[in-house]
């Protein structure tokens, strides 16, 4: 049965509690449910959210990702395909691609996200395959490809389009205007005869250059206008296109009629200003749409049968026997039937210590066999935990939206209103006796002066400024959605390993019996641990290697050794000159056993010493080490434990002030970790840590964050691949730079220097940037409220309208370039 919280399979004896409804895969899931499930308002909100998803439609009427109903009823054999689509840049693109996919035969559900350039399609594979989907969505200038085939040159094409169209042809056109046309507008004699062959040649060049700018550089804008009409959602691209194409069309007709009042410069100004602003947004978005390289690369395509034959994972049936060699990744969930091996589950569970798996133990797809081959039987569903993590992350991340959605929503009202005003004013002018040319110029002036360059730049320029100022503080912001969402954070969920701690296993402390020198104990432990590939063994060996290379002694704090029960050392040797040779070392799942000078030595987990004598003081030290969240490694010989090596990761400097700072910002602080309860105990006593959830698997982390986010805005701070779904599920995801590729790609912001104090600074920057965005949008609204009536009154010609439009954009640029601190 699946876990009641995270849907992972439960063991044969599920974790249960009389006070908590459900069956769970681990104690962590049970404790999360106990804490969150009791909040009735939280459960109600979660049910409401599920109901919306189950309804299968978004606010625009497009079926949502959870929809499963077709005209013929429920389809159980749907296949989900994710495609990368180049060319998406607004919510209207999403709507167009969703409609295009939904109209294809065999497609049940389509959900697009321009924030990640991703389209998820649920389809009947017997009626349409992924290649057919790619052909269907490769239309109107969009190009659909597999996620793994995404072109790395998409950004280069956009830059070339901008530089060639704007930098070359646009500037050449403006040069001709400055030299030959603008002087005539102010009553000066032209430098050449504009009415002769020379003028015709000059105008022809301007027309060609303007055509390149409009149809090449402006192609994404024109395409956006086209799809907005196809999808029935007017957007800013439509209004920009109307202004640019109208001025271009008028100027082309005027040129053919021999007139010199040409407004090709308006077309160029509109296209280049909007394209420049769009480049900011594109560069921001690209950094937030990685290909989930770590986990996607880790998903296995082939597997080795017990007979040695390699087969495709997709062809493996439940119950099949697979052989996995040391260093290889387990392809599917299943059960060990032969062999014993340490399995590194860090990528999937976040647990830093490998777990020994024996016959009968369950193993998870995506984990790595560390030290010995095993034979496993594939589970009933022939699925992989790692696959589920990858799909979970894509589901959550692809559903995100950016700040620009606010502007697009505004455009659905603003664009039709402006067009209606322009048409009505033009017709009224004709009706009141104005010439067709005068009426057309006034209508064109209305379109140009209201051209939403200020709207288009308000968000990306403020975001770019916020990104720069965050970078000065060692923070990389990878999603513009952060500036809209971070200002309302009420709860911040923090991962332990790699976030509050550095995540590097090392020797933390050494405690020995009174008669045993610390360095002698370490050398004997190291001699045995060299035979083991276990990460804890490596930490002890590396500690000894570091001491040897530095020529130093042990740097560890030991308590006073006065326990009379400690036995004397039967091996008499000079501590400074001992060189140990281990005879017949045997590596167990919990440690190493060997002989030194004929005396049996052991190093490892306390369970390895069940039949040995453990002095009372060292037994107490073992408990204390576990309480501090570290791993106790016992060392002994001749039947007696002689000392304890504490292995663990260090807490980061300043974690306490970091937690207190978040508390001072009225944020609830929640610690969420896949590690044991003991490893989280040292943080639970901090007065500003409100809740601690330990032993929580990655799928449950995402579910926990989702439940918290049902009633409040939640930020998640983490570093591991197993944190990635939770980072994506949170309102705001924050990763530390030492984390895995997947965690970085799922995050909205990355702290580059692992400095915890940078996280409160991040909230300061985002709050200031959000205020700047609102100020820019307010200015754009005020500008249009003044400029449009002036154009309607005939007080602005197209050139002055373009100047006014450009001036409003310059004010937005100037406001965005100010320091965020200026607003405090």
């Amino acid at each position: 049965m699946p876990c009641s919280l995270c849907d992972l399979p439960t063991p044969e004896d599920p974790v249960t509690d009389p006070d908590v409804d459900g069956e769970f895969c681990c104690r962590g899931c049970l404790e999360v449910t106990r804490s969150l499930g009791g909040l009735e308002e939280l459960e109600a909100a979660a049910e409401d959210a599920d109901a919306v998803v189950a309804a299968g439609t978004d606010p625009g009427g497009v079926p949502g990702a959870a929809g499963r109903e077709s005209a013929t009823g429920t389809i159980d054999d749907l296949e989900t395909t994710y495609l990368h689509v180049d060319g998406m840049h607004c919510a209207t693109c999403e709507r167009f691609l969703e409609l295009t996919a939904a109209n294809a035969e065999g497609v049940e559900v389509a959900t697009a996200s321009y924030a990640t350039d991703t389209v998820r399609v649920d389809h009947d594979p017997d009626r349409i395959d992924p290649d057919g989907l790619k052909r269907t969505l490769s239309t109107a200038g969009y190009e659909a490809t597999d996620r793994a085939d995404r072109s790395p040159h998409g950004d280069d094409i956009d830059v070339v389009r901008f530089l060639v169209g704007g930098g070359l042809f646009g500037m050449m056109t403006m040069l001709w205007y400055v030299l030959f046309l603008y002087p005539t507008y102010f009553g000066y004699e032209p430098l050449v005869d504009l009415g002769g062959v020379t003028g015709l040649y000059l105008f022809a060049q301007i027309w060609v250059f303007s055509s390149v700018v409009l149809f090449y550089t402006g192609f994404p804008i024109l395409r956006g206008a086209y799809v907005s009409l196809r999808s029935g959602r007017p957007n800013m691209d439509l209004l920009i296109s109307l202004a640019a194409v109208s001025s271009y069309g008028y100027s082309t007709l005027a040129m053919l009629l021999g007139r010199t009042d040409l407004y090709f410069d308006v077309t160029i100004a509109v296209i280049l200003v909007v394209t420049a602003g769009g480049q900011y947004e594109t560069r921001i978005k690209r950094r937030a749409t990685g290909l989930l390289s770590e986990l996607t690369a880790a998903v296995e395509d082939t597997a080795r049968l017990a007979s040695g034959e390699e087969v495709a994972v997709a062809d493996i049936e439940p119950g099949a026997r697979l052989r996995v060699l040391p260093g290889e990744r387990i392809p599917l969930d299943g059960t060990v039937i032969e062999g014993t091996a340490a399995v590194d589950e860090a990528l999937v569970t976040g647990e830093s210590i490998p777990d020994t798996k024996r016959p009968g133990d369950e193993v998870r797809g995506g984990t790595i066999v560390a030290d010995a081959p095993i034979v496993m039987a594939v589970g009933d569903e022939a699925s992989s935990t790692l696959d589920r993590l990858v799909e979970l992350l894509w589901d959550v991340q692809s559903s995100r939206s950016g700040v620009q959605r606010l502007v697009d929503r505004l455009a659905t009202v603003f664009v039709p209103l402006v067009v209606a005003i322009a048409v009505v004013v033009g017709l009224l002018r004709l009706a009141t006796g104005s010439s067709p040319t005068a009426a057309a110029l006034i209508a064109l002036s209305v379109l140009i002066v209201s051209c939403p360059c200020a709207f288009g730049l308000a968000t990306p320029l403020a975001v770019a400024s916020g990104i720069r100022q965050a970078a000065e503080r060692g923070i990389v912001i990878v999603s513009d959605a952060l500036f809209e969402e971070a200002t309302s954070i009420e709860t911040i969920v923090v991962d332990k390993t790699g976030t509050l701690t550095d995540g590097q296993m090392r020797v933390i402390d050494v405690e020995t019996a009174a008669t045993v020198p610390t360095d002698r104990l370490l050398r004997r432990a190291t001699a045995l641990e060299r035979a083991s590939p276990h990460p804890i063994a490596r930490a002890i060996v590396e500690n000894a290697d570091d001491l040897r290379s530095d020529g130093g002694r042990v740097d560890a704090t030991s308590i006073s050794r006065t326990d009379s029960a400690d036995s004397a050392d039967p091996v008499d040797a000079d501590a400074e000159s001992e060189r140990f040779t281990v005879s017949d070392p045997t590596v167990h799942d919990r440690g190493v056993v060997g002989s030194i000078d004929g005396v049996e030595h052991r190093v490892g987990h306390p369970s390895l010493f069940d039949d040995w004598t453990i002095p009372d003081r060292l037994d107490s030290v073992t408990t204390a080490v576990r309480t501090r969240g570290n791993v106790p490694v016992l060392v002994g010989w001749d039947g007696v434990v002689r000392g304890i090596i504490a292995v663990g990761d260090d807490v980061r400097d300043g974690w306490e002030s970091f937690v207190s700072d978040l508390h001072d910002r009225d944020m609830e602080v929640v610690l969420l970790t896949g590690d044991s309860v003991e490893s989280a105990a040292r943080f639970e006593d901090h007065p500003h840590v409100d809740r601690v959830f330990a032993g929580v698997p990655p799928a449950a982390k995402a579910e926990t964050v989702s439940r918290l986010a049902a009633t409040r805005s939640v930020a998640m701070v983490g570093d591991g691949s197993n944190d990635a779904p939770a980072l994506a599920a949170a309102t705001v995801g924050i990763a530390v730079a030492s984390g895995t590729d997947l965690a970085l790609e799922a995050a909205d912001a990355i702290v580059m220097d692992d400095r915890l104090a940078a996280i409160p600074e991040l909230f300061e920057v985002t709050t200031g940037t959000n205020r700047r965005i609102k100020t820019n949008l307010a200015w754009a609204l005020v500008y249009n409220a003044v400029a449009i009536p002036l154009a309607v009154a005939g007080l602005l010609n197209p050139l002055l309208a373009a100047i006014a439009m450009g001036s409003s954009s310059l004010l937005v640029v100037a406001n965005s370039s100010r320091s965020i601190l200026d607003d405090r």
Side-chain angles (χ1 to χ4, degrees), residues 214 240-253 262-268 270 444 447-448 798:
L214 176 61
I240 294 168
S241 298
L242 284 174
V245 172
S246 296
S247 58
Y248 175 84
Y250 171 86
S251 300
T252 300
L253 181 61
L262 309 181
Y263 297 103
F264 290 114
D265 54 338
V266 173
T267 298
I268 291 173
V270 168
L444 181 59
L447 289 176
I448 294 172

Short mmCIF file of all heavy atoms in Angstrom, two decimals, residues 214 240-253 262-268 270 444 447-448 798:
data_model
loop_
_atom_site.label_atom_id
_atom_site.label_comp_id
_atom_site.label_asym_id
_atom_site.label_seq_id
_atom_site.Cartn_x
_atom_site.Cartn_y
_atom_site.Cartn_z
N LEU A 214 11.54 45.27 -38.58
CA LEU A 214 10.18 44.89 -38.23
C LEU A 214 9.97 43.38 -38.35
O LEU A 214 9.44 42.75 -37.42
CB LEU A 214 9.17 45.62 -39.13
CG LEU A 214 7.70 45.25 -38.93
CD1 LEU A 214 7.24 45.55 -37.51
CD2 LEU A 214 6.82 45.98 -39.95
N ILE A 240 1.76 46.32 -29.43
CA ILE A 240 3.06 46.74 -29.99
C ILE A 240 3.07 46.51 -31.49
O ILE A 240 3.53 47.37 -32.27
CB ILE A 240 4.20 45.95 -29.31
CG1 ILE A 240 4.30 46.32 -27.83
CG2 ILE A 240 5.53 46.20 -30.00
CD1 ILE A 240 5.19 45.40 -27.03
N SER A 241 2.56 45.37 -31.92
CA SER A 241 2.55 45.06 -33.35
C SER A 241 1.65 46.03 -34.11
O SER A 241 1.99 46.48 -35.22
CB SER A 241 2.07 43.62 -33.57
OG SER A 241 2.95 42.70 -32.98
N LEU A 242 0.50 46.36 -33.54
CA LEU A 242 -0.39 47.32 -34.19
C LEU A 242 0.31 48.67 -34.39
O LEU A 242 0.21 49.28 -35.47
CB LEU A 242 -1.66 47.50 -33.37
CG LEU A 242 -2.70 46.37 -33.47
CD1 LEU A 242 -3.83 46.62 -32.48
CD2 LEU A 242 -3.24 46.28 -34.89
N ALA A 243 0.99 49.13 -33.35
CA ALA A 243 1.68 50.42 -33.47
C ALA A 243 2.80 50.36 -34.49
O ALA A 243 2.94 51.26 -35.36
CB ALA A 243 2.24 50.83 -32.10
N ALA A 244 3.62 49.29 -34.43
CA ALA A 244 4.76 49.18 -35.34
C ALA A 244 4.32 48.97 -36.79
O ALA A 244 4.83 49.62 -37.71
CB ALA A 244 5.66 48.03 -34.89
N VAL A 245 3.36 48.07 -36.98
CA VAL A 245 2.90 47.78 -38.35
C VAL A 245 2.11 48.96 -38.92
O VAL A 245 2.22 49.29 -40.11
CB VAL A 245 2.04 46.50 -38.35
CG1 VAL A 245 1.38 46.30 -39.72
CG2 VAL A 245 2.89 45.29 -38.00
N SER A 246 1.33 49.66 -38.08
CA SER A 246 0.56 50.81 -38.57
C SER A 246 1.50 51.93 -39.04
O SER A 246 1.29 52.51 -40.12
CB SER A 246 -0.36 51.33 -37.47
OG SER A 246 -1.32 50.36 -37.13
N SER A 247 2.51 52.25 -38.23
CA SER A 247 3.44 53.30 -38.64
C SER A 247 4.22 52.87 -39.88
O SER A 247 4.51 53.69 -40.77
CB SER A 247 4.39 53.64 -37.50
OG SER A 247 5.12 52.50 -37.08
N TYR A 248 4.57 51.58 -39.96
CA TYR A 248 5.29 51.06 -41.13
C TYR A 248 4.39 51.13 -42.37
O TYR A 248 4.83 51.58 -43.44
CB TYR A 248 5.72 49.62 -40.85
CG TYR A 248 6.36 48.92 -42.02
CD1 TYR A 248 7.72 49.07 -42.29
CD2 TYR A 248 5.61 48.09 -42.86
CE1 TYR A 248 8.31 48.42 -43.37
CE2 TYR A 248 6.19 47.43 -43.93
CZ TYR A 248 7.54 47.60 -44.19
OH TYR A 248 8.14 46.97 -45.24
N GLY A 249 3.12 50.68 -42.23
CA GLY A 249 2.21 50.71 -43.37
C GLY A 249 1.92 52.12 -43.84
O GLY A 249 1.92 52.39 -45.05
N TYR A 250 1.67 53.03 -42.88
CA TYR A 250 1.41 54.42 -43.26
C TYR A 250 2.61 55.00 -43.99
O TYR A 250 2.46 55.69 -45.02
CB TYR A 250 1.09 55.24 -42.01
CG TYR A 250 1.02 56.72 -42.29
CD1 TYR A 250 -0.17 57.31 -42.74
CD2 TYR A 250 2.14 57.55 -42.14
CE1 TYR A 250 -0.24 58.66 -43.03
CE2 TYR A 250 2.08 58.89 -42.43
CZ TYR A 250 0.90 59.46 -42.88
OH TYR A 250 0.84 60.79 -43.17
N SER A 251 3.81 54.77 -43.43
CA SER A 251 5.02 55.35 -44.02
C SER A 251 5.29 54.78 -45.41
O SER A 251 5.75 55.50 -46.31
CB SER A 251 6.22 55.09 -43.11
OG SER A 251 6.02 55.67 -41.84
N THR A 252 5.02 53.47 -45.59
CA THR A 252 5.22 52.87 -46.91
C THR A 252 4.29 53.51 -47.94
O THR A 252 4.70 53.86 -49.05
CB THR A 252 4.98 51.35 -46.84
OG1 THR A 252 5.89 50.77 -45.90
CG2 THR A 252 5.16 50.71 -48.20
N LEU A 253 3.01 53.69 -47.55
CA LEU A 253 2.05 54.31 -48.47
C LEU A 253 2.42 55.76 -48.73
O LEU A 253 2.38 56.22 -49.88
CB LEU A 253 0.65 54.23 -47.86
CG LEU A 253 -0.49 54.82 -48.69
CD1 LEU A 253 -0.60 54.09 -50.03
CD2 LEU A 253 -1.80 54.75 -47.94
N LEU A 262 7.61 60.57 -43.07
CA LEU A 262 7.67 59.11 -42.90
C LEU A 262 7.97 58.77 -41.44
O LEU A 262 8.80 59.43 -40.79
CB LEU A 262 8.74 58.51 -43.81
CG LEU A 262 8.68 58.92 -45.30
CD1 LEU A 262 9.78 58.23 -46.08
CD2 LEU A 262 7.30 58.58 -45.88
N TYR A 263 7.33 57.72 -40.95
CA TYR A 263 7.48 57.34 -39.54
C TYR A 263 8.08 55.93 -39.37
O TYR A 263 7.71 55.19 -38.46
CB TYR A 263 6.12 57.44 -38.83
CG TYR A 263 5.58 58.84 -38.81
CD1 TYR A 263 4.57 59.22 -39.69
CD2 TYR A 263 6.11 59.79 -37.95
CE1 TYR A 263 4.08 60.52 -39.68
CE2 TYR A 263 5.62 61.08 -37.93
CZ TYR A 263 4.61 61.44 -38.81
OH TYR A 263 4.14 62.73 -38.81
N PHE A 264 9.00 55.60 -40.27
CA PHE A 264 9.72 54.34 -40.09
C PHE A 264 10.52 54.36 -38.78
O PHE A 264 10.75 53.30 -38.18
CB PHE A 264 10.66 54.09 -41.26
CG PHE A 264 9.96 53.77 -42.55
CD1 PHE A 264 10.04 54.65 -43.63
CD2 PHE A 264 9.21 52.61 -42.69
CE1 PHE A 264 9.41 54.36 -44.83
CE2 PHE A 264 8.57 52.33 -43.88
CZ PHE A 264 8.66 53.20 -44.96
N ASP A 265 10.96 55.55 -38.37
CA ASP A 265 11.72 55.63 -37.12
C ASP A 265 10.87 55.21 -35.92
O ASP A 265 11.39 54.66 -34.94
CB ASP A 265 12.26 57.04 -36.92
CG ASP A 265 11.16 58.10 -36.99
OD1 ASP A 265 10.09 57.83 -37.58
OD2 ASP A 265 11.37 59.21 -36.46
N VAL A 266 9.57 55.47 -36.02
CA VAL A 266 8.68 55.04 -34.93
C VAL A 266 8.64 53.51 -34.86
O VAL A 266 8.71 52.91 -33.77
CB VAL A 266 7.27 55.60 -35.15
CG1 VAL A 266 6.31 55.02 -34.12
CG2 VAL A 266 7.30 57.13 -35.07
N THR A 267 8.53 52.89 -36.03
CA THR A 267 8.54 51.42 -36.07
C THR A 267 9.80 50.87 -35.43
O THR A 267 9.76 49.94 -34.62
CB THR A 267 8.43 50.92 -37.52
OG1 THR A 267 7.20 51.36 -38.09
CG2 THR A 267 8.53 49.41 -37.60
N ILE A 268 10.94 51.45 -35.81
CA ILE A 268 12.23 50.95 -35.29
C ILE A 268 12.32 51.18 -33.78
O ILE A 268 12.75 50.29 -33.03
CB ILE A 268 13.38 51.64 -36.03
CG1 ILE A 268 13.42 51.14 -37.47
CG2 ILE A 268 14.71 51.38 -35.32
CD1 ILE A 268 14.40 51.87 -38.35
N VAL A 270 9.93 51.47 -31.56
CA VAL A 270 9.02 50.60 -30.82
C VAL A 270 9.58 49.19 -30.73
O VAL A 270 9.65 48.58 -29.66
CB VAL A 270 7.63 50.59 -31.49
CG1 VAL A 270 6.76 49.47 -30.91
CG2 VAL A 270 6.95 51.93 -31.31
N LEU A 444 -3.09 56.86 -35.47
CA LEU A 444 -1.76 56.26 -35.31
C LEU A 444 -1.06 56.82 -34.08
O LEU A 444 -0.37 56.08 -33.35
CB LEU A 444 -0.93 56.54 -36.57
CG LEU A 444 0.50 55.97 -36.59
CD1 LEU A 444 0.47 54.45 -36.43
CD2 LEU A 444 1.20 56.36 -37.90
N LEU A 447 -2.23 55.01 -31.03
CA LEU A 447 -1.62 53.68 -30.89
C LEU A 447 -0.17 53.78 -30.42
O LEU A 447 0.27 53.02 -29.55
CB LEU A 447 -1.68 52.93 -32.23
CG LEU A 447 -3.05 52.44 -32.69
CD1 LEU A 447 -2.94 51.80 -34.06
CD2 LEU A 447 -3.62 51.44 -31.70
N ILE A 448 0.58 54.73 -30.99
CA ILE A 448 2.00 54.83 -30.67
C ILE A 448 2.21 55.34 -29.25
O ILE A 448 3.03 54.81 -28.50
CB ILE A 448 2.71 55.74 -31.69
CG1 ILE A 448 2.70 55.10 -33.08
CG2 ILE A 448 4.15 56.02 -31.25
CD1 ILE A 448 3.20 56.01 -34.18
N PRO A 798 2.61 61.53 -34.74
CA PRO A 798 3.29 60.26 -34.46
C PRO A 798 4.72 60.41 -33.94
O PRO A 798 5.15 59.63 -33.09
CB PRO A 798 3.25 59.54 -35.81
CG PRO A 798 2.01 60.05 -36.46
CD PRO A 798 1.94 61.50 -36.05
#
